[in-house]
Amino acid sequence: MDKYRVSPKEKVKLQDIETEGIGSKEEAVAKFLEINEKLEVLQERLYSEGKHKILVVLQGMDTSGKDGAIRGVFDGVNPQGVKVANFKVPTAEELAHDYLWRVHKQTPGKGEIVIFNRSHYEDVLVVRIHNLVPDKVWKKRYDQINDFERLLAEEGTTILKFFLHISRKEQKERLLERLADPSKHWKFNPGDLKERAIWDKYEEAYEDVLERTSTEWAPWYIIPADKKWFRNLVIGKILLETLEKLDIEVPPSMPADEVKQYQQQLENE
Ligand code: ADP
């Protein structure tokens, strides 16, 4: 899975990076099911152990499949202990604070997995592209973000960041699909067309994010995301490998005599 990982300071040219994925859908789906079962077990352990904190950041162009990845990868995982934090246009109260204020509040506690659907990276993406703050303000944010993530990591949070990489052509197809199906109209946002028109600007802003904020303590992974089944497989696998490395402890069982004592107590009721 290392091939999807961006090394610190690595140059990234998104147009040269695969969006398609490899292999057959059948095989990927079968492999994913195995991974998903293991993830369920590890997540339960993580929750019962109450020690590790896991933060998963999802970013990508509109329609890149952030919602679908959350549904797919965490399918069947016990919702207790897994939370999703959505970052939308900031409220007045959020804007009155620094941009990390709303983010820090949502970071995982012990035993939790938190998935960020969009994140503090919007503050160097949409904010940069639409000039929502002056250049000199957003340009400082890469270092600030690295420092913030280092703080989280040093305090025991494992951070994984996934950029869902779709092609411009695939985005067009997904938008057309939404328009063709009335039951999907709620997903269509006319604003997405305006953002699509400045795809190149987003690409450039994403390249800067990937080059400047992939660190040892909070790496970025570029996930080929044109095929939903491949996207879920790769994210699932990276997540599983990461959880396996944490050596999460199996919850201890009770000594046999203690079990017996409680059993007797119940039976003698
Ligand atoms: P999504 O597209 O993620 O399904 P929405 O349609 O509600 O959900 O979009 C959320 C919007 O909020 C996006 O357009 C995103 O760029 C915007 N947004 C998120 N964070 C910020 C921010 N810090 N400043 C400005 N806009 C933001």
Side-chain angles (χ1 to χ4, degrees), residues 7 25 43 78-79 97 102 106 116 122 127 131 156 256 266:
S7 305
K25 181 173 176 179
Q43 187 270 328
N78 182 352
H97 292 81
R102 66 171 181 166
Q106 303 269 19
F116 278 5
E122 293 293 326
V127 167
N131 301 309
L266 284 163

Side-chain angles (χ1 to χ4, degrees), residues 92-139:
E93 192 191 18
E94 287 167 350
L95 280 175
H97 292 81
D98 70 84
Y99 67 101
L100 291 173
W101 181 73
R102 66 171 181 166
V103 177
H104 205 162
K105 283 200 286 199
Q106 303 269 19
T107 53
K110 288 181 177 167
E112 278 181 347
I113 298 180
V114 173
I115 306 146
F116 278 5
N117 184 356
R118 302 188 187 268
S119 65
H120 42 301
Y121 285 97
E122 293 293 326
D123 292 285
V124 281
L125 291 161
V126 65
V127 167
R128 161 184 175 171
I129 289 163
H130 291 292
N131 301 309
L132 301 181
V133 300
D135 285 12
K136 69 174 199 315
V137 173
W138 64 256
K139 281 188 177 164

Side-chain angles (χ1 to χ4, degrees), residues 10 22 26 39 75 96-97 114 119 134 159 183 254 265:
E10 185 180 329
I22 34 172
E26 289 68 29
L39 271 178
D75 187 30
H97 292 81
V114 173
S119 65
I159 307 172
S183 74
M254 263 190 276
Q265 202 176 320

Side-chain angles (χ1 to χ4, degrees), residues 161-186:
K161 302 182 297 199
F162 298 113
F163 170 66
L164 307 188
H165 187 29
I166 55 164
S167 64
R168 194 159 188 264
K169 184 169 155 275
E170 178 66 21
Q171 187 189 57
K172 183 176 177 176
E173 276 162 31
R174 291 186 185 184
L175 289 169
L176 284 171
E177 248 172 57
R178 289 180 183 182
L179 286 168
D181 179 353
S183 74
K184 287 189 179 168
H185 282 177
W186 65 274

